[in-house]
Amino acid sequence: MNRRSFLITAGASIAMPMLSTARLAAQNSVRLVLVHGRSQQGRNPAELQTVWLETLRRGAAKLNRVLPERLDVAFPFYGDRLDQLASANEVPLTTDIQSKGAPANNDFLTFQADVAEAIRIRAGVTDAQVNAEYGNNPTQKGPQNWAWVQAIIRAIDKHGGGLSELGIESLMRDVYLYTSQPGVKTEIDRIVSASLNESPCVVVGHSLGSVVAYDVLRTDPRPLKVRAYVTVGSPLAIRAIRDRLRPIGFPKPAVASWYNAYDPKDVVALYPLDAQNFPVSPAVENFGRVLNGTDNRHGIIGYLDDPDVAKHILDALQV
């Protein structure tokens, strides 16, 4: 998609231009905040928002329902800024280490190995499948061995689901940057928090966006009124990611309810946000029967057109 002159700058959000903010507030509108995931750099945020809303409308149509006629929507776009920060922080992917001889970041390698191993186990990828990718490499296996880590990721790519090797590595890199580099977290949080105010809202977070929105909702000092936090394709329950957000907790009193939906074949979201993997009180409501129709089982289109996901969003939007 091209980046036309109306491309929104970092820190801004998109609002549907049907009514002024004052008139929307007067009609007690509930804001819908949509927090995107990774790999959105260079995209047109206005067009992305349209895709999200049209997909949600399809989900609503499966229930014979429609979105509210006048809907105040915010789409905080951080894709370009995250891409800039990733380049500035110079954290190479394991494929970059192999092909370009880039220096390895040992902390990132350990993080990446922990995430990859958790995904491998949950996805049912066997040791033999990983060993086949590693081949006859004489170097000792372990989290500091980039070739071993890459072998796990390749095995997940081939045998564990539809997300590509590059997609898995890039997701790990971006989550690592967000959870490990305070400057990255501060900038991305600022962009997302700017779309929130003290009026009632519903927040939907996808993939990395679910991590960002969670952190914003639990740390924002304002008396937010989030009727529902809806996460889809979320990696929050992967131990290596969860542990970098400690202490974890339900983002109350800002959030009234939390609903988490996932496709059981989405390798990013294989672990539900349940008592074993994400113990918070009150408990998160998990729905693990999404049949995500996108090629990698992780795309936002395959989540928002699910009728159960749409129902939770629509119910929370009702004034």
Side-chain angles (χ1 to χ4, degrees), residues 152-173:
I152 299 174
I153 296 171
R154 284 201 305 269
I156 295 169
D157 179 2
K158 289 185 178 180
H159 308 288
L163 199 62
S164 69
E165 177 184 353
L166 179 60
I168 296 169
E169 284 194 345
S170 299
L171 174 72
M172 292 175 178
R173 191 268 313 277

Side-chain angles (χ1 to χ4, degrees), residues 98 120 125-137 141 146-160 165:
Q98 180 183 31
R120 179 193 74 79
V125 176
T126 66
D127 289 337
Q129 289 169 332
V130 175
N131 287 331
E133 295 300 321
Y134 193 60
N136 296 321
N137 193 319
K141 300 171 184 177
W146 63 263
W148 172 243
V149 175
Q150 192 175 33
I152 299 174
I153 296 171
R154 284 201 305 269
I156 295 169
D157 179 2
K158 289 185 178 180
H159 308 288
E165 177 184 353

Side-chain angles (χ1 to χ4, degrees), residues 55 58 263 290-294 297-306 309:
T55 306
R58 289 201 299 271
D263 183 321
V290 176
L291 297 177
N292 191 310
T294 59
R297 307 298 288 259
H298 182 64
I300 186 61
I301 292 174
Y303 278 115
L304 290 183
D305 69 355
D306 181 90
V309 174

Side-chain angles (χ1 to χ4, degrees), residues 38-39 92-95 108 111-120 123 125 149-176 207-208 235 238 241 265-270 296 298:
R38 60 160 308 278
S39 293
L93 305 177
T94 52
T95 47
F108 174 53
F111 170 81
Q112 191 172 218
D114 289 344
V115 173
E117 182 65 6
I119 292 175
R120 179 193 74 79
V125 176
V149 175
Q150 192 175 33
I152 299 174
I153 296 171
R154 284 201 305 269
I156 295 169
D157 179 2
K158 289 185 178 180
H159 308 288
L163 199 62
S164 69
E165 177 184 353
L166 179 60
I168 296 169
E169 284 194 345
S170 299
L171 174 72
M172 292 175 178
R173 191 268 313 277
D174 291 348
V175 173
Y176 172 79
S207 192
L208 172 62
I238 296 175
I241 296 173
K265 293 186 178 180
D266 176 357
V267 298
V268 175
L270 291 175
N296 60 16
H298 182 64

Side-chain angles (χ1 to χ4, degrees), residues 17 22-23 33 39 76 80 84 98 101 105 133 147 161 193 201 212 239-240 263 270 281 297 299 305 309 311 313:
R23 289 180 64 193
V33 182
S39 293
D80 288 341
Q84 294 165 1
Q98 180 183 31
N105 178 317
E133 295 300 321
S193 63
C201 68
V212 175
R239 179 185 55 80
D263 183 321
L270 291 175
S281 180
R297 307 298 288 259
D305 69 355
V309 174
K311 179 180 185 303
I313 295 173

